[in-house]
Amino acid sequence: MILDFDIKEESVENIDADLEIVFVVEKNFSHKWVRDEKLLKSLGFEGEDGEVCLLAESKRLYVGVESFDKDDMRGAISTALNSIKKTEFKIVKIGSYVDACPVSYMKGLVEGAILGTYEFDMYKSKKKEKKNKTLLVSLEDAREVPLNLSHAKKSLEEAKIIAEVTNNAKTIVNQAPDEMTPAKLAEYVQNLASELDDVECFVGDEKFLQEQKMGAFLAVSRASEHPPRFIHLTYKPKEAKEKFVFVGKGLTYDSGGLSLKPADFMVTMKSDKSGSASVISILEGVAKLKLPFEVHAIVGACENMIGGNAYKPDDVLVAKNGKTIEIRNTDAEGRLVLADCLCYASELKPDYLVDMATLTGACVVAVGEYTVGLMGHNSKTKHDVLKASKHSGELFATLQFNKYLKELIKSEVADVCNIASSRYGGAITAGLFLDNFVADDVKDKWMHWDIAGPAFVEKKWGYNQHGASGAGVRQALYWMSGKLSRKKH
Ligand code: BES
Ligand code: ZN
Ligand code: ZN
C-alpha cells in the first residue's frame, strides 16, 4: 500500500472521499459519527476490539477499538486498512473525536497505518499490486483544544519518519542471511550515511578488529565465509545537547557455532541482526527528525558458523579491555561481539549508552515474546525508558541485577565465563556478563535492551506482521524526543 496523509480542519462530513473510517470506541454506538447503529447490530457487529464491518453502500468502514490510546489507534487503523487493501477506495477520511488528544490521535493513526501495512515481498516473484490510498484526518473537534495547524502538520511528519525508519529496520532484518551479510550491511549503512545530513560512517574490517584488540568479536567471526564488519555511524548536529551511543548486535546469522543449535531453533536466526538494524534505523530517525543530540550507532556485524577454524568451548578469549573470557558455549556469541563493541563505545564517553540485542531465549521465557527485557544500574534512566512505552506502544519490563546471579558467571580459568553455571536467570546473567565490558565511569549511563522476544514475529500480533518488527526503534526515538519537551504526544 502506498500511503499519503493530510490533516483537515473541516468536519469529516464536509470532506470529499471514497470511504469514511468510523471508530466505535469502547463499544459506544452513540457517538455522532456512528450513523448506522441498527444496521451494524443487525449484522452482528458489536464493536469488539479489532472487529471491522464495511458498509459499502453508505461508504463507511466501522472498526471496533478499546480506547483512544495511541497504541489502540495504531492497531485499529492497521486492521481497517488491511481489510480494504484490495479495494479501489482511494481517498479515505477519518473524523475527529473530542475525547482524543488530537495530535496523539493523529500520530497513532499515521504510525499504525505505515507500520501495519508494511509488506516484505523482496523474494516473491509475483509482487502484489500496491494500491495508493490517501488518508485525510479531520482534526475539527480539536479546535476545542486550540490546535495549531502547523504544529499538527509537524507532528504528522514526525510520525511518518518514526514509522518509516521502523519499517527500514524490518527490511534489513527480513533479508536472507546470504544476502544481508556483514559486508552488505556495511554497504547499506554507507549509502544511508551519504543520504543524511550531519552523518558520517566508518567501517572497519578484520584488520581493524585486530588493531583494536577485539579478540572476542574476532573469534566469533572466524569460521564464516563472510568476513566481519565493525560499523560506526555518527550524527553530529551543531550545538548538540547530550551524547547517545547505541550498540547493536549484528549477527547476520547465528547457527550456534560448534555448540550447534538444533534445526528447529536455527530457523529465524537471520533475525539475530535485529539489534544492529534497530540502532542503524534509530540513527536514521534521529537525523531525519533533526534531534539536537550527538548520536552514535555502533554495530558488530558477523556470522556465527562452524568450521575447522571455529572458536570452541574451552577456548579463552581476550576482549578489547584486556578481560579474559572462558568459552563454555559458542552459542552465547552475541555477548562476545557486544563485549568488544561496548569497550569501544565506553571510550566515546557517552551520556547514555544503550545496547540492543536478540541476546537470550531466556529473556523470552522471562517476559514473553512481546516484551523487551530492560536492564541497567540507573533506576532513573530505566524509569524514563519505561515511561516512553506509553507513547511508543512498545512493551518493556525491567529485570533486576543481583549479586547472587553475578556469582554464576565466575570462571575457574579466566576472568569471566560466557555462560552461567545455572539454567535459570539467563537473561540477567547475560546482562551481567556485558557489565564487565562497560567502563566504570560509564556504568551508570548504560542500559541493556534484550529484544530477543519482540524483534521477530512468528505469529502476527497487533499491527506487527510476520517477520521483523523493528523492536526498540520507536522506543528509543520517543524516549529521546521526550527529553526535549515536557508535553509529549
Ligand atoms: N541469538 C540467540 C538468542 C535468541 C534466542 C534470540 C531465541 C532470539 C530468539 C543467542 O545467541 C543464543 O543462542 N543464546 C543462548 C544462550 C545460552 C547458550 C546461554 C540461548 O538463549 O539459548
Ligand atoms: Zn547464539
Ligand atoms: Zn545470537
Side-chain angles (χ1 to χ4, degrees), residues 401-409 421-422 429 432:
F401 291 148
N402 69 60
K403 63 180 178 186
Y404 305 108
L405 285 171
K406 195 172 171 157
E407 282 289 309
L408 305 181
I409 49 169
S421 54
S422 159
T429 48
L432 285 164

Side-chain angles (χ1 to χ4, degrees), residues 254 261 304 331-333:
D254 180 12
K261 283 184 186 295
N304 187 20
D331 197 13
E333 84 300 333

Side-chain angles (χ1 to χ4, degrees), residues 404-424:
Y404 305 108
L405 285 171
K406 195 172 171 157
E407 282 289 309
L408 305 181
I409 49 169
K410 284 198 167 153
S411 163
E412 294 289 337
V413 296
D415 298 336
V416 64
C417 183
N418 86 323
I419 56 164
S421 54
S422 159
R423 300 185 330 114
Y424 306 113

Side-chain angles (χ1 to χ4, degrees), residues 196-200 234-242 286-287 289-295 484:
L196 298 169
D197 289 339
D198 300 321
V199 173
E200 275 175 29
T234 309
Y235 167 68
K236 214 179 206 173
K238 282 165 214 82
E239 288 159 45
K241 292 182 188 181
E242 290 149 307
V286 171
L289 292 166
K290 300 196 182 305
L291 297 184
F293 298 118
E294 180 178 329
V295 181
L484 297 171

